[in-house]
Amino acid sequence: ARGTIADCELVNKSAADKEDEIIPCIRCFHCLDYRRASTFGCSVNPTVGRELRYPRLIAPAYAEKKLLVIGGGPAGMKAALSARERGHKVVLLEQAERLGGKLIYSEKVPFKKDLARFMNYQIHMIEKNKIEVRLSTKANPELIKTINPDVIIAALGADACVPLMEGTDRENVLTAEQAYNRADELAGKKLAIIGGGEVGCETGVYFAMEKGCSVSLAEMSSALSTESCGIPRFALLEKVNEYIDAHTDALCTRITEEGLEYKDIA
């Protein structure tokens, strides 16, 4: 019944022929992550666990204001939709050619199709609510003055954390985002991944399974993908064990022309 957690109006929307408005479950299993979560919740539905308080917390706007949302990723789209729902006028700026932010890469990965569905749902709702979107548009002081918003919401997203070590400026060193952009070019090659969190593990599995790469991975801690929820983590680690040569307790020290060097800190 996870679908009715992601959207408690699922049945009513179906009956009213509004299936396109149903919030898709992304199968993150946050709702079942009892090991870490002290309260019941949902990654795509912030009202879960707050049903009685939500009407008081998010009341209809008493006066229409003009909001400028900078960033068209999942956070920016959600901010724009929430503001529009409350009765405000919204302008959404995105410097890329399309909406989606980091979720765009979920379209490339077969086992991330649920995230792609959620991204497309958000884009559809932006269009359905007739929110003004300006693509290929970078925010700057002059443009902001022209729009003249009452409020600015900066939903700029996150960039990769590049470790401070020798060799990270080499041409053959890529972030996960850059690697997905060059996926066909990297097919069949030998890859070394620094970091065994969720991004590192999923990227490694993708390139090994879908692009025929030989993948090695180095993680400084003693466990992999510790930020993932239980059930998805078990499934991911199963694929990591099958496809990736993973090394934990491995402190990476430098990147050379020959490859990646690390030392065992166990």
Side-chain angles (χ1 to χ4, degrees):
R2 293 192 312 275
T4 55
I5 298 172
D7 193 335
C8 66
E9 295 292 333
L10 184 151
V11 175
N12 292 332
K13 289 179 180 178
S14 297
D17 197 24
K18 295 182 179 180
E19 290 93 340
D20 61 316
E21 296 184 10
I22 295 173
I23 305 171
C25 170
I26 61 173
R27 291 197 302 172
C28 68
F29 285 86
H30 173 61
C31 56
L32 298 177
D33 194 18
Y34 306 124
R35 180 172 57 92
R36 292 182 301 183
S38 57
T39 58
F40 187 58
C42 174
S43 295
V44 297
N45 184 0
T47 68
V48 168
R50 304 178 177 90
E51 288 85 356
L52 296 179
R53 289 182 294 150
Y54 188 75
R56 299 193 300 273
L57 293 172
I58 312 295
Y62 61 86
E64 180 185 273
K65 293 191 175 184
K66 190 174 186 180
L67 272 74
L68 172 62
V69 179
I70 303 174
M77 288 192 284
K78 179 60 179 177
L81 288 168
S82 296
R84 188 73 186 90
E85 180 184 342
R86 296 191 66 201
H88 297 300
K89 184 177 181 181
V90 181
V91 178
L92 176 60
L93 302 184
E94 170 54 49
Q95 65 178 354
E97 297 178 351
R98 58 172 294 187
L99 297 174
K102 296 294 190 290
L103 291 187
I104 290 173
Y105 300 98
S106 63
E107 293 181 326
K108 299 176 179 288
V109 184
F111 55 83
K112 303 299 285 184
K113 62 183 179 180
D114 292 293
L115 274 179
R117 285 178 59 230
F118 178 72
M119 175 188 69
N120 291 326
Y121 155 79
Q122 283 193 308
I123 294 172
H124 170 72
M125 293 305 294
I126 290 285
E127 296 170 349
K128 190 165 186 172
N129 284 275
K130 296 181 172 56
I131 293 174
E132 181 182 347
V133 177
R134 303 187 190 181
L135 300 175
S136 303
T137 303
K138 193 168 185 177
N140 57 55
E142 292 73 25
L143 178 59
I144 293 174
K145 287 180 182 178
T146 301
I147 297 173
N148 191 29
D150 296 301
V151 176
I152 298 174
I153 297 177
L156 306 180
D159 291 321
C161 177
V162 179
L164 298 174
M165 72 174 71
E166 180 184 342
T168 54
D169 57 347
R170 300 182 64 86
E171 290 185 4
N172 63 335
V173 178
L174 307 172
T175 64
E177 187 174 356
Q178 292 168 335
Y180 280 117
N181 284 332
R182 295 170 57 179
D184 291 338
E185 176 188 336
L186 297 174
K189 294 191 175 182
K190 187 175 183 180
L191 307 181
I193 295 178
I194 300 175
E198 196 168 44
V199 173
C201 289
E202 289 187 349
T203 302
V205 169
Y206 166 75
F207 276 97
M209 288 178 57
E210 303 297 326
K211 296 299 178 180
C213 296
S214 173
V215 181
S216 297
L217 181 149
E219 164 57 38
M220 185 168 61
S221 71
S222 58
L224 299 174
S225 193
T226 55
E227 71 271 39
S228 302
C229 297
I231 296 174
R233 179 172 182 259
F234 297 147
L236 177 59
L237 293 184
E238 192 174 82
K239 293 299 182 184
V240 168
N241 292 334
E242 182 178 354
Y243 287 98
I244 297 177
D245 179 24
H247 302 265
T248 55
D249 297 308
L251 176 64
C252 298
T253 54
R254 65 171 180 158
I255 301 169
T256 67
E257 186 175 347
E258 289 74 28
L260 172 65
E261 294 184 2
Y262 74 90
K263 63 180 180 180
D264 190 347
I265 58 174

